[in-house]
Amino acid sequence: MDDNNTKTIEGKTENTAKRILSITISDDCMKAYARVSYIKDMKTDEYPPKFNVDEIMKIIKEKDIFYGVDNEAVKKLCEDEGENKFVIARGKEVVPSVDDVIKIEFEQEIIKKKDENEFKIDYRDVKSICVVQPGYVIAEIISGKDGEDGINIKNKKIKCAPHKTAKYSIAEGVGIQGNKIVATIQGMPSWKNNIFSVIKVYEINGDINLSTGNIDFVGDVIVRGNIDESMELNAGNGAEVSGNIENAEVHTKGDLKVSGNIISSTITVGGEDIAKKNEIDVFNTLCDILEELKSSVQQLQSGYFNSANCTDGQIIKTLIEKKYSRLNKICMYLIKENLQKGGKFSIIVDMLKEKIIGLAPVRIKKVSELDPLIEELKNAVKMLSKDINLDANMYVQYAQNSTIKCSGDIVINGKGIYTSDVQAGNAIYCMMDKSILRGGCIKAGNVIKSKIAGSVGRARTVLEVTGDGHIYADIAYANTMFSINGKNYILQNDSKNVHAYIGEGNLIQVDKFVL
């Protein structure tokens, strides 16, 4: 027996001449290869007779090869002088299924597929809002078909996977005509989470000013000009502003794209989700501090405080005064918010008053009494997270002296943001090489990626992320503050390739090279 599943069959004549038939089957049993060789008699110098078709066919069957035998190849093998390799059997290959295809007929954000589970939005090429009219075909479903099963040379069926049908549904503003998705109203076509819809769009072919009045619209709004001083825009979904926003207010529940400058204005993107994310951040921060406080108490119990016969409550009060002073500030903030929101956080506030605020800690006998409060905070985070919709993003060129809040990402495609208070629920990205974050407080939920942070004049700039977030800056000037989950680091020297994160010992770590 040869290697590679090759068996050698010998046919001997009366003398020492030999003939050999070698048959090899591929690993997937889809092909069989054969070759013959003839060895002459050393005494008579004669070759043995060649294999005939019947002999070879018999041996093929003994090898359990029943499908796809190539009779012509077998004949050529019989005629061969030896050592040539022939494919004597072929299985029937599986004909793969063709999946349904959804062909989108309108421009949308460029999406690059990184792998089967992850998509990346190319923020450098965000398309303008596309407006369609009733009857416009926004998508076509190109039907696929099932393939065909295969058969291997041992006559065993190879199943073909059925084709994948297109998964989609329709919402407001669209209908189905045959294999086409068609707009039934004027508006902006959308395809998110496999749902087609057309969202009503209100177009203003000029400025929002005293002649137009403030704009409050349930769908998307397109402003082809500026938003003038003291004017207000409220969009029930997204908005696009071609010009500048100056001394004005803009509030959207969906994405906002501003092609001009934002000066001395108030911007909120994401509607109620911003408030919910703020609440989640506060509760998560409070929870982290309490967990850390518990750990500190357990460490101190075996030291001085233990020898002084201090209760856990006395240790907790001392730690709050000396190490966790911001705990009281958070508690006061929650009490104020609770009053403004009609007792929304009453349970948590009552527990804070009972265990944390003022002299309350000294009444604690065991540090485990903080566990119900921590659990209540975690439950509140779960409940709030369920109610949050898809994050809304903001695309901005330049902003100055403004207040900006966004539930998702803030993407800076221009000069940057100056002396403004900025908050993004997820991330802040500077896409241009010379985009600047200078002055004010720039805050994100997870990550800040800046090109230039701070200024040569040492203007205080605060870059802040929550949780285990990361802050990056290609160049950061001295007096720039990096803040992660309440832990601060002030840059002493102009630096490059700066990366701030939480390192060992739960302390802020800043990697950098001095300029």
Side-chain angles (χ1 to χ4, degrees), residues 427-431 437 447-451 470-474:
I428 296 174
Y429 299 112
C430 290
M431 308 304 292
L437 300 180
V447 64
I448 295 174
K449 290 192 174 182
S450 171
K451 298 300 182 180
H470 292 255
I471 304 172
Y472 302 87
D474 290 355

Side-chain angles (χ1 to χ4, degrees), residues 72-118:
E72 289 300 317
V74 172
K75 289 179 182 178
K76 290 180 181 179
L77 180 64
C78 294
E79 298 166 359
D80 189 59
E81 297 296 329
E83 300 305 327
N84 288 314
K85 191 175 184 180
F86 293 86
V87 179
I88 58 168
R90 298 175 187 270
K92 178 187 175 184
E93 297 285 350
V94 170
V95 177
S97 298
V98 178
D99 295 337
D100 289 359
V101 174
I102 299 176
K103 184 181 178 185
I104 307 298
E105 299 290 357
F106 62 92
E107 285 190 328
Q108 54 183 355
E109 290 177 350
I110 302 300
I111 297 179
K112 296 180 178 179
K113 191 171 184 180
K114 295 177 71 178
D115 57 43
E116 290 302 319
N117 301 310
E118 184 178 359

Side-chain angles (χ1 to χ4, degrees), residues 10-51:
E10 297 185 359
K12 292 187 178 180
T13 60
E14 293 179 355
N15 54 32
T16 58
K18 293 182 181 180
R19 57 181 186 167
I20 301 171
L21 170 63
S22 299
I23 296 178
T24 304
I25 297 175
S26 63
D27 291 340
D28 59 2
C29 290
M30 292 301 290
K31 288 183 180 179
Y33 305 89
R35 68 174 61 188
V36 295
S37 60
Y38 300 96
I39 302 173
K40 65 182 179 179
D41 190 312
M42 298 301 292
K43 293 180 179 180
T44 63
D45 206 30
E46 293 180 354
Y47 283 93
K50 292 184 177 181
F51 287 99

Side-chain angles (χ1 to χ4, degrees), residues 230-241:
S230 300
M231 302 309 297
E232 185 173 338
L233 165 63
N234 289 283
N237 198 58
E240 179 177 331
V241 181

Side-chain angles (χ1 to χ4, degrees), residues 153-328:
I153 61 174
K154 295 193 175 185
N155 206 34
K156 291 184 178 180
K157 184 181 289 186
I158 305 170
K159 292 291 292 181
C160 170
H163 82 282
K164 295 180 180 178
T165 57
K167 295 181 179 179
Y168 65 94
S169 59
I170 62 171
E172 181 183 3
V174 297
I176 299 177
Q177 295 181 4
N179 65 332
K180 294 180 172 60
I181 310 296
V182 180
T184 58
I185 62 173
Q186 176 182 332
M188 182 187 73
S190 171
W191 183 45
K192 289 185 178 181
N193 296 330
N194 293 332
I195 301 173
F196 286 103
S197 63
V198 172
I199 304 166
K200 293 179 181 178
V201 175
Y202 179 45
E203 290 189 73
I204 300 167
N205 293 313
D207 300 338
I208 294 180
N209 50 31
L210 292 175
S211 63
T212 63
N214 294 329
I215 302 298
D216 192 342
F217 185 66
V218 295
D220 283 86
V221 178
I222 299 175
V223 182
R224 301 298 184 188
N226 304 316
I227 301 179
D228 290 349
E229 184 174 354
S230 300
M231 302 309 297
E232 185 173 338
L233 165 63
N234 289 283
N237 198 58
E240 179 177 331
V241 181
S242 299
N244 301 322
I245 303 172
E246 188 168 357
N247 289 296
E249 290 188 24
V250 175
H251 307 284
T252 69
K253 289 186 178 179
D255 293 354
L256 171 65
K257 180 185 177 185
V258 182
S259 299
N261 300 324
I262 300 173
I263 308 295
S264 301
S265 296
T266 299
I267 313 292
T268 59
V269 178
E272 294 177 357
D273 285 352
I274 295 173
K276 291 174 184 175
K277 284 205 166 189
N278 283 339
E279 291 166 5
I280 289 172
D281 286 345
V282 171
F283 290 151
N284 278 330
T285 299
L286 188 52
C287 202
D288 290 343
I289 294 173
L290 292 175
E291 293 280 15
E292 195 174 324
L293 180 62
K294 278 184 60 182
S295 178
S296 297
V297 170
Q298 290 163 358
Q299 291 175 13
L300 293 170
Q301 282 172 336
S302 59
Y304 165 78
F305 286 94
N306 184 46
S307 61
N309 294 321
C310 293
T311 64
D312 286 3
Q314 290 170 327
I315 298 174
I316 290 171
K317 187 174 186 304
T318 301
L319 284 170
I320 292 174
E321 291 172 350
K322 302 295 184 183
K323 187 177 180 180
Y324 300 103
S325 58
R326 69 190 184 110
L327 191 54
N328 283 320

